[in-house]
Amino acid sequence: MLRLQADGYMVEVPATVDALRTALVEGNASLYGSDGNVAAHLPVADYLRLFPDYREIEPFWGRAPGQ
């Protein structure tokens, strides 16, 4: 990460190894009320259309995030 920063990339380098670990594991999860990082957003209607088997697994996995 330091090399990327030195090469001109806009990289936020955590102050400690623990801070890096937290950023990687937790990332933006709390911002979105999720258990893990959120890389993209997909409207629930699109999710249901693209993943029709969702209704079968919903009782086991729970409702789609954002629903």
Side-chain angles (χ1 to χ4, degrees), residues 4-64:
L4 289 170
Q5 191 178 52
D7 286 347
Y9 290 93
M10 294 181 64
V11 178
E12 184 178 328
V13 180
T16 66
V17 172
D18 287 332
L20 173 61
R21 182 179 302 111
T22 298
L24 290 173
V25 174
E26 297 174 15
N28 62 7
S30 64
L31 178 65
Y32 295 103
S34 173
D35 292 334
N37 284 315
V38 176
H41 299 269
L42 183 67
V44 173
D46 291 344
Y47 176 77
L48 296 174
R49 180 178 50 80
L50 295 168
F51 187 39
D53 296 328
Y54 169 71
R55 295 287 181 211
E56 294 178 31
I57 64 168
E58 184 179 38
F60 306 100
W61 287 6
R63 299 178 75 184

